[in-house]
Amino acid sequence: MYLCFSDAKESCMIELKRFVFNAFQVNTYVLSDETGECVIVDAACSVTEEQETLERYIRTHSLRPVRLLSTHAHVDHILGNPYIVDHYGLKLEGHFDSKIYLDHASQFAFSYDLPLTRVEPVSRQLNDGELVRFGNSTLKVLYTPGHALGSLCFYAEKEAFVITGDVLFRDSIGRTDLPGGDYEVLRQSIWEKLFVLPENTIVYPGHGPETSIGREKTGNPFVAIG
Ligand SMILES: [Zn+2]
Ligand SMILES: [Zn+2]
C-alpha cells in the first residue's frame, strides 16, 4: 500500500509491505520509496520458504535493502536476521539493551521449537529521536521500553504511520511478564511517545492488524483514557 498524504509525491512516498512470518505470526515490514531503497523491520522469516517470499518481493520490485532494523530482540522477531545479513550484507541496527535477549536467544528458540541458525548482535545502536534515513525517506526512532528492554518504535511523520513492535497492538499492549517487562514503564512509553502522535497516525504492530493512535487512545482496554 502507498502511504502519502502530501502533494509533494516525490518527497513523501513510502510503500509499506507486511509479511507474516513464523509460528508466532510476527509482522515483518519492508518499507521502500521511489528511489528503490528499502529497510527491513524485524526480519522474522524462519524457514527457506519465508526467506524466499521476502527475497522474491525485494527482487521483483527491484528494491535495494539498505538497513535492517529491530524493534526489540524477542526470539520470534530475530529469526531472519542471519539470512538478511548474509544475503544483503547489512548489519543489525537496534538497541544495545537487546543483548540480554540475544544472549539467551538459543535457549528461547529451543524451548519454543523455533529454528534459529545464528544470533546476530546489534551492531549499531539507534537512540531516541535519531533519524533513520533511506532513499528520500526518514523514520524517527522512539525509545519505548516496558514490553522488552531496548524496545524501539519507528515513526514516519510525513506519511503518518508508526511501527510499534510489541509495544502497542490493536486493542492490546505487549505483555510485561517476560524478563525486562514492566507495566508502568510500558504505559509511560505508550503515553509519552505514542499517544502524543497525531490521532490519524496509523499503527503497524509487531503482530496482528493495523490500527490508529486515535482508536487506541480512546478504546484500548489496557491504556486508554479511563
Ligand atoms: Zn516481544
Ligand atoms: Zn512479538
Side-chain angles (χ1 to χ4, degrees), residues 26 72 74 76-77 147 166 206-207:
V26 172
H72 68 299
H74 280 155
D76 50 327
H77 291 254
H147 163 70
D166 288 358
H207 304 264

Side-chain angles (χ1 to χ4, degrees), residues 41-114:
V41 183
D42 286 358
C45 40
S46 65
V47 291
T48 304
E49 191 186 344
E50 292 176 341
Q51 292 164 354
E52 286 175 357
T53 299
L54 184 61
E55 193 275 334
R56 193 179 315 115
Y57 172 80
I58 289 168
R59 180 166 33 84
T60 56
H61 290 77
S62 303
L63 301 180
R64 187 160 60 89
V66 292
R67 304 183 79 155
L68 172 60
L69 310 179
S70 172
T71 62
H72 68 299
H74 280 155
V75 68
D76 50 327
H77 291 254
I78 64 165
L79 297 170
N81 287 340
Y83 172 76
I84 300 298
V85 165
D86 292 348
H87 202 76
Y88 298 110
L90 302 179
K91 290 188 183 304
L92 182 63
E93 299 179 68
H95 197 286
F96 287 152
D97 286 354
S98 297
K99 190 172 184 306
I100 181 180
Y101 308 109
L102 296 171
D103 286 348
H104 296 94
S106 300
Q107 292 159 249
F108 289 127
F110 181 76
S111 55
Y112 292 123
D113 198 23
L114 289 167

Side-chain angles (χ1 to χ4, degrees), residues 4-214:
C4 185
F5 301 94
S6 158
D7 296 323
K9 276 197 173 168
E10 68 281 359
S11 65
C12 125
M13 183 65 89
I14 293 181
E15 185 170 6
L16 179 146
K17 174 70 177 175
R18 179 173 76 113
F19 297 90
V20 181
F21 288 142
N22 79 54
F24 282 72
Q25 303 275 287
V26 172
N27 290 330
T28 291
Y29 295 101
V30 176
L31 310 180
S32 58
D33 74 6
E34 64 281 358
T35 67
E37 289 193 354
C38 71
V39 298
I40 300 165
V41 183
D42 286 358
C45 40
S46 65
V47 291
T48 304
E49 191 186 344
E50 292 176 341
Q51 292 164 354
E52 286 175 357
T53 299
L54 184 61
E55 193 275 334
R56 193 179 315 115
Y57 172 80
I58 289 168
R59 180 166 33 84
T60 56
H61 290 77
S62 303
L63 301 180
R64 187 160 60 89
V66 292
R67 304 183 79 155
L68 172 60
L69 310 179
S70 172
T71 62
H72 68 299
H74 280 155
V75 68
D76 50 327
H77 291 254
I78 64 165
L79 297 170
N81 287 340
Y83 172 76
I84 300 298
V85 165
D86 292 348
H87 202 76
Y88 298 110
L90 302 179
K91 290 188 183 304
L92 182 63
E93 299 179 68
H95 197 286
F96 287 152
D97 286 354
S98 297
K99 190 172 184 306
I100 181 180
Y101 308 109
L102 296 171
D103 286 348
H104 296 94
S106 300
Q107 292 159 249
F108 289 127
F110 181 76
S111 55
Y112 292 123
D113 198 23
L114 289 167
L116 179 69
T117 51
R118 198 175 82 222
V119 178
E120 281 300 323
V122 172
S123 295
R124 186 171 170 280
Q125 171 155 301
L126 299 170
N127 296 303
D128 188 50
E130 182 175 341
L131 299 180
V132 172
R133 299 180 197 281
F134 67 99
N136 295 326
S137 304
T138 303
L139 303 170
K140 187 177 181 182
V141 176
L142 307 176
Y143 175 63
T144 52
H147 163 70
L149 297 173
S151 274
L152 302 175
C153 296
F154 300 104
Y155 175 45
E157 185 174 4
K158 255 195 280 182
E159 295 82 0
F161 73 86
V162 60
I163 292 177
T164 58
D166 288 358
V167 172
L168 181 66
F169 302 112
R170 185 181 175 111
D171 297 328
S172 189
I173 59 174
R175 55 192 287 190
T176 53
D177 59 327
L178 297 169
D182 184 314
Y183 174 72
E184 281 310 318
V185 174
L186 179 61
R187 198 181 153 81
Q188 192 178 350
S189 289
I190 291 171
W191 272 97
E192 292 181 2
K193 297 296 177 60
L194 298 178
F195 283 179
V196 295
L197 303 178
E199 298 206 341
N200 67 345
T201 305
I202 303 295
V203 171
Y204 291 103
H207 304 264
E210 67 243 42
T211 180
S212 71
I213 292 294

